[in-house]
Amino acid sequence: MDLESASQVKQGLLAGGWSRVKALAKNFKTKVFDFFSNVKKLGQDDPRRVVHSLKVGLALTLVSLFYYYQPLYDSFGVSAMWAVMTVVVVFEFSVGATLGKGVNRGIATLLAGVLAVGAHKLAILSGRIGEPIVLGFFVFIQAAVSTFARFYPKMKARYDYGLLIFILTFSLISVSGYRDDDLLELAHKRLSTVLIGGSTCVVISILLFPVWAGQDLHNLTASNIEKLAYFLEGFGDEYFKMAEQEGEPKEDKSFLQGYKSVLNSKSNEDALANFARWEPGHGRFQFRHPWKQYQKVGALTRHCAYRIESLSGYLNADIQGKPEIRTRIQETCTKMSLESGKALKELGLAIKTMTKPFGADTHIENSKSAAKNLNSLLKSGLWDDEMDLLEIVPVATVASLLIDVVNCTEEIAESVRELASMANFQGIKTSSVSPEKPKPDQSNSHEAMNCSSVIITIGDGESSSHDQEPQNSSPTMNNTSSSRPSPRTAEV
Amino acid sequence: MDLESASQVKQGLLAGGWSRVKALAKNFKTKVFDFFSNVKKLGQDDPRRVVHSLKVGLALTLVSLFYYYQPLYDSFGVSAMWAVMTVVVVFEFSVGATLGKGVNRGIATLLAGVLAVGAHKLAILSGRIGEPIVLGFFVFIQAAVSTFARFYPKMKARYDYGLLIFILTFSLISVSGYRDDDLLELAHKRLSTVLIGGSTCVVISILLFPVWAGQDLHNLTASNIEKLAYFLEGFGDEYFKMAEQEGEPKEDKSFLQGYKSVLNSKSNEDALANFARWEPGHGRFQFRHPWKQYQKVGALTRHCAYRIESLSGYLNADIQGKPEIRTRIQETCTKMSLESGKALKELGLAIKTMTKPFGADTHIENSKSAAKNLNSLLKSGLWDDEMDLLEIVPVATVASLLIDVVNCTEEIAESVRELASMANFQGIKTSSVSPEKPKPDQSNSHEAMNCSSVIITIGDGESSSHDQEPQNSSPTMNNTSSSRPSPRTAEV
């Protein structure tokens, strides 16, 4: 190889290397950009996340004053680190979770400290050789028993963290006692620093932009019901329109997908309800607000969502049933769906505004009378000639599932009514005074109620209202769905 | 009041008090008894809980040797407490959760230690007055950034605990550095004790009766599919028999309820899959076993469970459709349900035994041909005279939902097949060699497949087989459902 070609090869390599470096740099740039836009979205979805992060930073900085400020350091010394640790592990997203962990940690530290000092006194009695054996025995027994207790469902739900801290403190103090003679002071310092750290968290989490798990649960319950409402309000038009307008521009169909997040909402709701029980009265919620009832409402909402999941399969099914058959039940089915949807919307609104759900009653009655109409329509023998049963089946199924949905709606309404009376919701009629409900929508539904046998162009009249509303309220929906960091807090 | 009556009153009070004390004692006795029987049940449901508790006790006792044994104490001193703490918080029910927490804790401690030492060096440069300000600034910034990072879904899923420990260690070490000049030694001691504690947990959790999250996820997936299978195998008989045998003794219907636990299985599956990814190869599972595919199978299983939830509403519905109508489609519907059930059972079995799911194919074909039969039956016009459509609707809905179930079953089969090829399941035919499948059952289904147009007494012939099987396999089902403590581990 002569020199010239060698230098050419070298140049070629350099050029290739350079272009690779450029590609890498570009790739890196895109990744960094993606990363930052993700981070931005994370903060925008729920600005409370940013606030929470700053609050944690503040609490930690405050507690580190124990190290910097001489008089404080003189009284606590290295024990101050327990305050720092407590802040890190206790500060959670919601007030309820923070309070729950703080109270658990405080009480468990106190109990375990007392018991550990007792265990230490007992162990001393058995002499210098017996002491580690007795101590080891105590540590083993309490760790095994407490760990097993953590499997007990009731304990697990509320005191899991307390049991963990109990094991921790008992082991640390009883074992330290073997080396440190001033055990009482050790226990006392640990307890007081834990209390200082815990109360710092609780105070900051309550005073600075508090995030209430109860409020989140309340909003989640309402918005889950509303998600079903959006689907049901849209379903009738969506299912029956196909034949009518084929060439229409693609609309936003996201309101038909919203219910899917309801299907798996149980763990989130349970966590929030658990946290909410620790919270003091806040805003419109008393201390003993019936949080359990929210879980009941949530269970019924999911129950309804399962039916809707079955129903949604018929929106895009291959066999749709003959158009003629579908048009015959179009009116009643659309009405059942629409009125259930409106009833659910009223229920969601009633929860949100904490008013008695009077507005839902007429819609439920309407949906039930539509279901009855459907029954008589089916009985009336409009059908029996020249019809292929095969083509009736999908339509019949949709009708039948809608009847199920109407029943589910009634159950949800009943549970919301219970909630309203347990939580003393206000008694005003939401449907007529609520500023969020557009007037035309309301009047339209009354029209539909009064002349149920006349064909009303519900399809067109309503489609505009339900196409807009999900968009209008999407910020709040987003907001509530992004208030879902709480399962995270359950994982710590 | 004279003395006599006063003593009478006193006696009466005493007697009343005594009987109250007796009642209280009895009440207390019952409560204690209930408590202990609950505890016993907790242990019997999943004996691994007892073993786990003893393992935690053992690990903690081992680690406390750092205090008792002079040479060990000489080298670590009070830092030994970090080992104790690590054991308490890292030791989880499953190997995967323990490993995940241990690795997170180890790496986070290392990283945070290095950064904190760096921050300390920087802070020193700014003089005695500037130092606490710079340190406080660093603590604030890292706490806020790390806390925000914990909201990032990908971080949250795998490194949440690591981020927590990062905040903890960084704060502790950088702040301690203000008082303690030998910072490197502090960081080094903390790291080594954390590693000792963590490895103690990992070693004990792997060597002594290991609980593998992967194995649990595997079993859970299989048993969830089987729960649907039991429902479907029983559904046909249950739905169509009513008219036939009314006065029969009440049988055990629990197999019709089993599917309900599938509806809310998502959070449990996600947690297990997350833990499983940390686990090394064990038993029949490789290190990079396709755990994600289990989540996919699980999602489709839940999808099917939603349909079954809708279906189950028709078992106890008020309107059942006329018996004559029901008997017309009885054979095909029973067959669809039964064959889907058998297919699902084969799929569950294939997962359990880790063999390719060949056995399911014929059943799926059978169920599909039954669905086709149903279509032609509906088309054949067996119906159109003198029938009330109202009475056809519920029956048509059941038929339609069963068709959905058949489709779902096929999707599940497809995903299990993918799983089988991803995880290299063995290629033997499970259906013919499996010792768990009774022969008559098998031959029966072949009979059914070959002569689909002949009326076979599937109703009677099969009912015995599916009534027994849930009982046969109920211990394993219990076992798997009680392997559900893992969500607990997610909450720590």
Side-chain angles (χ1 to χ4, degrees), chain A residues 38 53 67 70 81 85 144 150 152 175 179 264 266 303 309-310 314 375 390 397 400 490-492, chain B residues 38 53 67 70 81 85 140 144 150 152 175 179 264 266 303 309-310 314 375 390 397 400 490-492:
Chain A
N38 270 339
S53 307
Y67 275 87
Q70 194 62 45
M81 84 174 167
M85 284 189 59
R150 290 174 71 194
Y152 198 68
V175 169
R179 293 288 170 183
N264 291 314
K266 185 179 181 350
H303 198 73
E309 165 79 7
S310 300
Y314 290 87
N375 277 353
L390 183 60
T397 308
S400 183
E491 276 163 39
V492 184
Chain B
N38 270 339
S53 307
Y67 276 87
Q70 195 61 44
M81 85 175 166
M85 284 187 60
F140 180 83
R150 290 174 69 193
Y152 199 67
V175 169
R179 294 288 169 181
N264 290 316
K266 186 177 180 348
H303 199 72
E309 165 79 6
S310 300
Y314 291 87
N375 278 354
L390 182 60
T397 309
S400 184
E491 277 163 37
V492 185

Side-chain angles (χ1 to χ4, degrees), chain A residues 191-262:
Chain A
L191 182 63
S192 50
T193 44
V194 162
L195 289 182
I196 289 168
S199 48
T200 308
C201 293
V202 169
V203 167
I204 289 184
S205 105
I206 292 183
L207 293 189
L208 292 184
F209 306 99
V211 174
W212 301 101
Q215 180 77 54
D216 276 6
L217 176 63
H218 183 86
N219 293 347
L220 180 69
T221 308
S223 87
N224 276 350
I225 292 179
E226 279 176 352
K227 280 176 192 166
L228 303 192
Y230 291 130
F231 178 91
L232 289 173
E233 287 191 326
F235 177 78
D237 288 341
E238 197 60 30
Y239 181 68
F240 290 108
K241 84 164 178 206
M242 291 130 191
E244 294 163 26
Q245 329 104 314
E246 275 295 321
E248 262 201 358
K250 199 86 180 166
E251 303 163 56
D252 179 27
K253 297 283 169 61
S254 60
F255 65 93
L256 289 174
Q257 300 296 321
Y259 77 91
K260 281 195 193 291
S261 70
V262 181

Side-chain angles (χ1 to χ4, degrees), chain A residues 35 38-39 42-43 49-50 52-54 56-58 60-61 64 67-70 73 81-82 84-85 88-89 92-93 132 135-136 139-140 142-145 147-148 150-153 156 160 164 167-168 171-172 175-176 178-179 263-264 266-267 302-303 306-307 309-310 313-314 319 375 378-379 383-384 387-390 392-394 396-397 399-401 404 484-485 488 490-492, chain B residues 35 38-39 42-43 49-50 52-54 56-58 60-61 64 67-70 73 81-82 84-85 88-89 91 93 132 135-136 139-140 142-145 147-148 150-153 156 160 164 167-168 171-172 175-176 178-179 263-264 266-267 302-303 306-307 309-310 313-314 319 375 378-379 383-384 387-390 392-394 396-397 399-401 404 484-485 488 490-492:
Chain A
F35 173 76
N38 270 339
V39 167
L42 208 64
R49 290 171 180 163
V50 181
H52 172 68
S53 307
L54 297 177
V56 173
L58 176 65
L60 216 44
T61 314
S64 25
Y67 275 87
Y68 305 139
Y69 188 54
Q70 194 62 45
Y73 190 76
M81 84 174 167
W82 292 110
V84 174
M85 284 189 59
V88 175
V89 294
E92 292 281 345
F93 188 64
L135 277 179
V139 167
F140 180 84
Q142 68 85 23
V145 169
T147 305
F148 189 73
R150 290 174 71 194
F151 287 109
Y152 198 68
K156 197 171 88 186
D160 192 58
L164 186 82
I167 305 177
L168 185 67
S171 309
L172 278 185
V175 169
S176 302
Y178 185 67
R179 293 288 170 183
L263 295 170
N264 291 314
K266 185 179 181 350
S267 54
R302 272 192 300 285
H303 198 73
Y306 299 146
R307 298 294 185 281
E309 165 79 7
S310 300
Y314 290 87
I319 317 162
N375 277 353
L378 294 174
K379 259 190 183 163
W383 310 78
D384 46 13
M387 265 197 196
D388 198 342
L389 199 63
L390 183 60
I392 297 179
V393 167
T397 308
S400 183
L401 286 172
D404 281 357
R484 225 179 294 155
R488 182 194 72 79
E491 276 163 39
V492 184
Chain B
F35 174 75
N38 270 339
V39 167
L42 208 63
R49 291 170 179 163
V50 181
H52 172 68
S53 307
L54 297 177
V56 173
L58 176 66
L60 216 45
T61 314
S64 23
Y67 276 87
Y68 305 141
Y69 188 54
Q70 195 61 44
Y73 191 76
M81 85 175 166
W82 293 109
V84 173
M85 284 187 60
V88 175
V89 294
F91 211 133
F93 189 63
L135 277 179
V139 166
F140 180 83
Q142 68 87 21
V145 169
T147 304
F148 190 72
R150 290 174 69 193
F151 288 109
Y152 199 67
K156 196 171 88 185
D160 191 59
L164 185 83
I167 305 176
L168 186 66
S171 309
L172 278 185
V175 169
S176 302
Y178 186 66
R179 294 288 169 181
L263 296 169
N264 290 316
K266 186 177 180 348
S267 53
R302 271 192 299 286
H303 199 72
Y306 299 146
R307 298 295 185 282
E309 165 79 6
S310 300
Y314 291 87
I319 317 162
N375 278 354
L378 295 173
K379 258 190 183 162
W383 310 77
D384 44 14
M387 266 199 197
D388 198 342
L389 199 62
L390 182 60
I392 296 180
V393 167
T397 309
S400 184
L401 286 172
D404 281 357
R484 224 179 297 155
R488 181 193 72 78
E491 277 163 37
V492 185

Side-chain angles (χ1 to χ4, degrees), chain A residues 252-453:
Chain A
D252 179 27
K253 297 283 169 61
S254 60
F255 65 93
L256 289 174
Q257 300 296 321
Y259 77 91
K260 281 195 193 291
S261 70
V262 181
L263 295 170
N264 291 314
S265 57
K266 185 179 181 350
S267 54
N268 194 9
E269 275 175 21
D270 288 352
L272 286 176
N274 202 16
F275 298 149
R277 247 165 263 152
W278 288 105
E279 290 175 350
H282 56 279
R284 300 169 297 173
F285 307 101
Q286 308 263 304
F287 172 56
R288 289 196 169 278
H289 197 72
W291 300 118
K292 272 200 175 173
Q293 184 68 17
Y294 284 90
Q295 288 173 289
K296 211 171 149 190
V297 175
L300 290 168
T301 309
R302 272 192 300 285
H303 198 73
C304 189
Y306 299 146
R307 298 294 185 281
I308 286 181
E309 165 79 7
S310 300
L311 206 49
S312 79
Y314 290 87
L315 273 181
N316 305 309
D318 301 331
I319 317 162
Q320 288 284 3
K322 260 192 189 160
E324 305 101 77
I325 307 173
R326 294 203 284 148
T327 42
R328 288 202 197 169
I329 58 163
Q330 172 166 1
E331 193 207 337
T332 31
C333 277
T334 306
K335 197 174 159 193
M336 274 162 72
S337 172
L338 190 65
E339 291 289 336
S340 310
K342 281 188 179 169
L344 286 176
K345 213 181 199 174
E346 288 282 350
L347 291 172
L349 188 71
I351 293 181
K352 271 202 177 143
T353 55
M354 295 190 84
T355 45
K356 289 226 159 86
F358 293 124
D361 295 347
T362 48
H363 294 299
I364 286 177
E365 284 312 313
N366 289 352
S367 65
K368 277 163 79 180
S369 77
K372 266 184 201 159
N373 278 354
L374 183 68
N375 277 353
S376 51
L377 196 66
L378 294 174
K379 259 190 183 163
S380 68
L382 260 173
W383 310 78
D384 46 13
D385 46 327
E386 76 207 47
M387 265 197 196
D388 198 342
L389 199 63
L390 183 60
E391 287 174 324
I392 297 179
V393 167
V395 182
T397 308
V398 166
S400 183
L401 286 172
L402 278 175
I403 292 175
D404 281 357
V405 167
V406 169
N407 292 334
C408 285
T409 305
E410 212 184 341
E411 281 174 24
I412 295 175
E414 186 52 44
S415 68
V416 173
R417 233 172 272 137
E418 271 172 39
L419 175 65
S421 77
M422 285 162 102
N424 295 320
F425 283 5
Q426 293 166 342
I428 52 158
K429 283 205 179 198
T430 61
S431 53
S432 43
V433 298
S434 154
E436 291 173 49
K437 293 282 291 184
K439 261 279 177 273
D441 196 321
Q442 195 55 25
S443 66
N444 207 337
S445 86
H446 275 296
E447 220 179 312
M449 178 180 62
N450 294 332
C451 7
S452 57
S453 60

